[in-house]
Amino acid sequence: PMWTGLSLRYRLLAKGPVAVVVPLIAVVCAAPFVVDLRARWREGLADAAIAGLVAMVVAAPWYVAMTMTHGVEFLRVAVWMQNVGRFAGQMADHGQSAGVFGLAAAVGVLPWMGLLPAALARLRRPSTNRREAVRFTLAVTTASSLAFYSLSASKLASYSLALMPPASALIGIFLDEALDNVRGNGAAAFRWAGSVLAIVAA
């Protein structure tokens, strides 16, 4: 919870409240499949409370200082307009199409983008296997981030950076397994990667 709180603090300072909302959506979507919520809901709430408290204690002084310096206008512009307004469509003519955003995300994962379909094909509903739980959570995080930014009114290509860590880790888990069995599923995955690189080069 402490490390999560420090991560949230950095998100709040760097990108504002929306940077907390996006991973929260992923957690809410993935948690029912990877954690026994009936048995661990108290522990989950306690962890969330600690993480939230750490994030607020560390991030709040900056927000307070900026509000005292610039007044309520800081909250209206920096917090509301640049976060909620940007993604709810209150900022007109801002951003590119969903296609540009998706292309930026795909290019960002090169040269391993060709492994992503094979990595997704390995997805299974997690049971007690921690690797499967991590794989599933990474896939949900990638999908929920893609959905959030694709549906938002603002689509800057740089938002694709949010997809790259979970997608790269998902590919990395698959690649680790594929290297142990190159003659099996790995060979097809490497052909995928080779094809993508050839298309990009062309």
Side-chain angles (χ1 to χ4, degrees), residues 54-79:
V54 170
M56 293 305 298
V57 165
V58 181
W62 185 81
Y63 281 93
V64 171
M66 291 297 100
T67 303
M68 291 177 63
T69 302
H70 303 287
V72 180
E73 186 68 5
F74 164 75
L75 295 176
R76 188 187 72 81
V77 174
V79 178

Side-chain angles (χ1 to χ4, degrees), residues 7-102:
S7 173
L8 292 176
R9 173 269 308 176
Y10 177 77
R11 289 169 173 271
L12 282 169
L13 292 176
K15 299 300 291 182
V18 72
V20 176
V21 171
V22 175
L24 184 60
I25 293 171
V27 168
V28 169
C29 292
F33 300 97
V34 298
V35 178
D36 186 351
L37 295 177
R38 290 176 294 182
R40 300 187 61 187
W41 68 271
R42 291 180 188 275
E43 181 183 350
L45 287 179
D47 288 348
I50 293 171
L53 184 62
V54 170
M56 293 305 298
V57 165
V58 181
W62 185 81
Y63 281 93
V64 171
M66 291 297 100
T67 303
M68 291 177 63
T69 302
H70 303 287
V72 180
E73 186 68 5
F74 164 75
L75 295 176
R76 188 187 72 81
V77 174
V79 178
W80 181 258
M81 183 185 299
Q82 293 293 335
N83 269 265
V84 178
R86 180 185 297 270
F87 297 100
Q90 297 176 20
M91 295 180 65
D93 300 326
H94 186 79
Q96 292 91 31
S97 68
V100 171
F101 168 71

Side-chain angles (χ1 to χ4, degrees), residues 2 21 55 70 89 97 112 119 161 175:
M2 296 290 291
V21 171
H70 303 287
S97 68
W112 308 111
L161 291 171
L175 188 57

Side-chain angles (χ1 to χ4, degrees), residues 112 115 119 170-180 190:
W112 308 111
L115 296 174
L170 183 64
I171 292 169
I173 290 175
F174 171 78
L175 188 57
D176 178 58
E177 296 170 347
L179 288 174
D180 290 334
F190 290 125

